[in-house]
Amino acid sequence: MSRILVVEDESAIAELISINLRHAGFEVTLASSADQAQYEVDRVLPDLVVLDWMLPGQSGLALARQWRSAVRTKELPIIMLTARAEETDKVSGLDAGADDYLTKPFSTNELLARIRAVLRRKAPEALDSLVEISGLSLDPGTRRVSREGAEVKLGPTEFRLLHFFMTHPERVHSRSQLLDRVWGDHVFIEERTVDVHVKRLREALERVHCARMIETVRGAGYRLTQLSAALQA
Ligand code: CA
């Protein structure tokens, strides 16, 4: 389930957004100031942030800029909300690093459509689309993993880990990035936890001859790669 952080100081709007997002299957956390939003992001990295521009104290715009300049949050998907419809505001919002921009009042259907579009582009593991690489298919809807009819049984963490790898293939992910993106926590969980779950994942994938798709990149982390044609046979 994708985690969405809604940063909005007007409680009626915050409530309306969170009810609709929860109804659409998202897990929602609310924050009413930039400080609180930063606290929530430090605690658990969300899959996406809906960020109001006008907040008491530090503005949403300044917060977006701050997140973009920090290593941990520079890829964090952000949709900016604003009551101001001027074109220059839209430009500064996007300049500050927002992935999309919505002017109040907006319909919740439009917000949902924008959220899905941004997630598809930046965090496809947060959506329920089926993914397939080298014949290995993973269906988040039914939580099934299989290859050529043979099913792979995975625990919930191995499933999330494989889902993340398959939606971000051929890229090296450090243990700390994996903790953030798969566990949502990089502070309280030790990095060797990642190694334990990667080992379990490889053992499970062995059954369908896909264990070597998960590569260890020395000194850097892990990567999921396609099976070469010769090995697929
Ligand atoms: Ca506001």
Side-chain angles (χ1 to χ4, degrees):
M1 192 192 291
S2 349
R3 296 175 287 253
I4 302 206
L5 173 64
V6 176
V7 189
E8 166 64 84
D9 59 309
E10 286 156 85
S11 57
I13 298 178
E15 264 317 296
L16 182 72
I17 294 175
S18 74
I19 287 168
N20 281 282
L21 294 186
R22 285 192 182 115
H23 189 71
F26 293 104
E27 192 185 307
V28 182
T29 307
L30 293 177
S32 58
S33 68
D35 281 355
Q36 209 187 335
Q38 185 64 55
Y39 170 83
E40 292 297 343
V41 164
D42 288 344
R43 205 171 56 85
V44 175
L45 195 68
D47 294 301
L48 182 144
V49 183
V50 175
L51 178 60
D52 187 32
W53 180 314
M54 300 298 283
L55 294 168
Q58 191 185 11
S59 75
L61 195 71
L63 185 58
R65 224 173 254 136
Q66 182 180 310
W67 281 341
R68 281 296 173 258
S69 64
V71 174
R72 182 165 178 256
T73 46
K74 70 174 193 291
E75 300 286 337
L76 184 63
I78 300 172
I79 295 181
M80 197 104 187
L81 301 182
T82 178
R84 310 158 25 147
E86 283 100 46
E87 191 64 21
T88 51
D89 289 341
K90 180 171 180 173
V91 170
S92 13
L94 297 174
D95 271 354
D99 295 285
D100 205 349
Y101 181 99
L102 217 50
T103 306
K104 294 176 187 174
F106 51 84
S107 76
T108 47
N109 279 341
E110 179 167 18
L111 177 62
L112 278 169
R114 302 282 187 100
I115 287 174
R116 291 200 178 98
V118 170
L119 286 176
R120 207 170 294 127
R121 190 151 47 87
K122 294 194 76 180
E125 79 282 2
L127 291 169
D128 278 351
S129 329
L130 186 133
V131 268
E132 188 180 321
I133 295 176
S134 297
L136 182 70
S137 84
L138 178 149
D139 184 349
T142 58
R143 300 193 73 78
R144 284 219 161 117
V145 177
S146 63
R147 185 163 186 251
E148 288 159 2
E151 198 164 331
V152 183
K153 293 273 177 230
L154 294 178
T157 305
E158 287 72 37
F159 183 89
R160 284 204 308 277
L161 188 58
L162 181 62
H163 192 196
F164 179 77
F165 277 135
M166 289 181 75
T167 47
H168 301 81
E170 311 299 338
R171 270 151 62 185
V172 182
H173 308 286
S174 70
R175 288 167 178 80
S176 153
Q177 283 166 340
L178 289 169
L179 284 175
D180 255 345
R181 301 292 298 272
V182 177
W183 280 260
D185 186 333
H186 69 132
V187 179
F188 300 107
I189 302 175
E190 289 181 63
E191 294 200 349
R192 70 189 158 118
T193 304
V194 175
D195 303 331
V196 171
H197 288 278
V198 166
K199 181 167 179 284
R200 283 190 200 150
L201 176 59
R202 282 187 179 133
E203 283 164 2
L205 290 176
E206 193 49 64
R207 184 175 134 70
V208 291
H209 316 293
C210 289
R212 66 174 78 82
M213 285 173 79
I214 314 286
E215 295 181 345
T216 303
V217 181
R218 195 181 286 270
Y222 294 103
R223 164 174 63 204
L224 180 136
T225 189
Q226 289 190 48
L227 292 177
S228 68
L231 292 171
Q232 277 198 50

